[in-house]
Amino acid sequence: MSKNIVVAIDGYSSCGKSTLAKALAKKLHFIYIDSGAMYRAVTLYFLRNNIDRNDALAVEQALKDIHLEFHSRDYQTHITLNGEEVSEEIRQMHVSEIVSEISAVKAVRKEMVKQQQRMGKSKNIIMDGRDICTTVFPLAQVKIFMTADPKIRAERRYKELKAKGQEITLEEIFENLAHRDYLDTTRKESPLTRAKDAIVLDNTTLNEKEQLEFALERVKPFLDLAK
Ligand code: DC
C-alpha cells in the first residue's frame, strides 16, 4: 500500500483554516480533523469540572477521564466529549475566552498531540491547528501556513456567530482573536509559528474557491505519486 498523505494547516485564529480544510477533504475524500475542537472540548471539561490548570495532579486525572471522538458527517466536525455531542457548545465565547490558556498546558498538549498523531498514521488526512506543521506532523507532505488581515478575520467570525444567534459585538471578537493570537504565538510549548517549509497562504483578498485552488495545486503532485 502506498504511504498515506497528510496535509497540515496552521495559522492564526479565525483565518479560515477549517473552511479550507473541509473543502479540501470533501474534494479529495480525505478525513478532516479539527485539532482546535479537541483543545476546545478539553477546555469545556475543565470549565464544567472546575479543574485548576495549575494543579498538575488534577490535570493528569482530568486527561485520563476525558474521551474525545470525532464523528464525520458531511465533512463537518462533530466531536463528542465522553459521549456527549459538544460541537456547538465548544464554539461559544465562554470556551473561546479560556481555550488558549488551557491549550498552553504542557500535559494537555502532550496528550492531544499523541492522539492526533495516532489519527494520522494510516489514513489520508487534513488536520488544521497551530502546531500541526511544526510538532504533530513535521513530515507532512503538504504544509500550509494561513494568515489574513485581523480586521477581516474578526468580521468573518462576527458574521458566523451572529448567524448562529450569539449575542456578541465585533469589538469583543476582535479582542478575543488578538488575545488568542498573542497567547498562541508566545506560549512556551510548541507556539504557533510558520514551519520553515510551510507555504504561506494569505487569504485576505481570496474567496473560498481561490484558496481551495491554491491548496489543491500543492496536494496534486502527491496524489499522482500515490497512484
Ligand atoms: O482552531 P481554533 O480557534 O478552534 O482553536 C482553539 C484554540 O485551541 C486556539 O486558540 C489555540 C488552541 N490550539 C492549539 O493550541 N493547537 C492546535 N493545534 C489547535 C488549537
Side-chain angles (χ1 to χ4, degrees):
M1 202 189 99
S2 54
K3 195 180 167 339
N4 60 308
I5 301 170
V6 175
V7 178
I9 305 176
D10 284 331
Y12 298 102
S13 291
S14 287
C15 65
K17 298 185 297 292
S18 70
T19 304
L20 173 64
K22 279 178 208 161
L24 263 181
K26 200 168 178 178
K27 187 92 187 166
L28 300 170
H29 302 288
F30 281 21
I31 289 169
Y32 166 53
I33 298 157
D34 173 352
S35 72
M38 298 172 71
Y39 290 98
R40 285 174 179 272
V42 168
T43 301
L44 181 60
Y45 183 93
F46 276 42
L47 280 172
R48 284 180 176 177
N49 295 281
N50 292 317
I51 308 291
D52 174 359
R53 66 180 187 276
N54 299 309
D55 179 342
L57 277 181
V59 169
E60 191 190 333
Q61 187 56 47
L63 289 169
K64 281 190 191 137
D65 294 338
I66 292 173
H67 297 283
L68 304 177
E69 261 182 62
F70 281 104
H71 304 269
S72 191
R73 284 198 301 274
D74 305 328
Y75 295 96
Q76 298 300 320
T77 298
H78 293 279
I79 188 166
T80 57
L81 167 61
N82 296 338
E84 176 193 348
E85 163 83 58
V86 291
S87 314
E88 285 291 324
E89 190 172 354
I90 58 169
R91 306 273 156 220
Q92 292 181 4
M93 272 317 260
H94 65 289
V95 174
S96 297
E97 268 163 9
I98 191 82
V99 63
S100 285
E101 276 89 348
I102 305 295
S103 56
V105 176
K106 189 174 179 178
V108 171
R109 301 209 69 79
K110 198 170 160 213
E111 179 58 30
M112 292 305 109
V113 169
K114 192 172 88 188
Q115 295 188 17
Q116 289 152 7
Q117 289 174 333
R118 208 181 299 140
M119 293 181 217
K121 256 206 165 120
S122 55
K123 298 184 183 98
N124 290 337
I125 64 157
I126 299 172
M127 191 179 290
D128 71 341
R130 305 294 188 290
D131 61 341
I132 312 303
C133 303
T134 53
T135 306
V136 183
F137 295 116
L139 300 179
Q141 288 91 337
V142 179
K143 295 184 185 178
I144 299 174
F145 184 84
M146 285 182 75
T147 180
D149 182 303
K151 279 200 194 113
I152 301 281
R153 289 196 268 140
E155 277 164 20
R156 287 177 186 158
R157 190 77 175 165
Y158 178 71
K159 278 187 199 149
E160 207 179 290
L161 293 181
K162 274 282 168 189
K164 285 184 184 162
Q166 286 194 34
E167 273 310 314
I168 188 133
T169 67
L170 183 58
E171 289 69 34
E172 281 171 316
I173 293 184
F174 188 86
E175 288 302 314
N176 176 256
L177 295 187
H179 180 62
R180 286 203 283 140
D181 285 349
Y182 173 75
L183 292 179
D184 295 344
T185 52
T186 57
R187 69 176 174 227
K188 228 170 106 205
E189 297 300 325
S190 48
L192 168 65
T193 176
R194 180 175 78 85
K196 281 196 195 78
D197 51 352
I199 32 162
V200 176
L201 168 54
D202 182 337
N203 70 6
T204 305
T205 59
L206 297 184
N207 62 32
E208 290 178 15
K209 188 164 171 265
E210 289 164 333
Q211 69 174 17
L212 175 62
E213 276 162 14
F214 176 97
L216 276 175
E217 281 308 306
R218 268 75 197 173
V219 185
K220 264 184 198 154
F222 298 98
L223 296 176
D224 293 339
L225 285 177
K227 269 180 197 162

